[in-house]
Amino acid sequence: MNFDILYIDEHLIVLNKPAGLLSVPGRYNKDSAFGRLAAEYGELHIIHRLDMDTSGIIVYARNKPALTHVQQQFEKQRTRKVYEAVLTGVLPGSHGCINMPICVDWPNRPLQKISHTKGRYALTRWQKLGTTDKGSRVELYPKTGRSHQLRIHMQQLGHPIIGDVFYAGDAARQEKRLLLHARELDFTHPVSGEAMAIVCRPDF
């Protein structure tokens, strides 16, 4: 694999993960960005994940102290994450916020669902960038990191992400891939204390 590495040192590897590749090995599908990087670079630790269908920025730690430091930043919401997506249709308004709790849809795993009784707090802010012949291009700012959060929140807006085979109808399956990309990630370097601002533009 020709890795699209955005940053690397003795503590971290930041990768532009392609759509269609798992972040970490699955139960049945063992091929993953983690496995491929570990085979090339040795010791590696999982800090966070991206959905298999989502492309973009993902960070792995190369030692346990770095893992602990950066993982705590994610857990305490001290990171800044920006995603870019293309939604079906013309999204009304210029910006908004979705606060809907999410839980696993057990009979239909790995799907998630909105549940105001069993769901966990999930908040997404969105900003419309414009419209194209495909639909509405938006920036998404997740405050929380629930599984499928951005995908199900956009569905709840009535404008699912194009290419989403889980939450969009046939009209949204006009692309071979999910048009969702982790575009920006800000965090603090675990050793130097430097403010890291990683940017990787989508190719769609």
Side-chain angles (χ1 to χ4, degrees), residues 45-59:
H45 301 274
I46 300 161
I47 295 174
H48 66 123
R49 293 169 169 80
L50 292 178
D51 287 346
M52 179 177 179
D53 297 331
T54 303
S55 59
I57 300 168
I58 186 167
V59 185

Side-chain angles (χ1 to χ4, degrees), residues 65-76:
L67 168 67
T68 300
H69 193 287
V70 181
Q71 206 166 47
Q72 286 180 350
Q73 293 180 54
F74 275 86
E75 291 172 355
K76 295 179 180 179

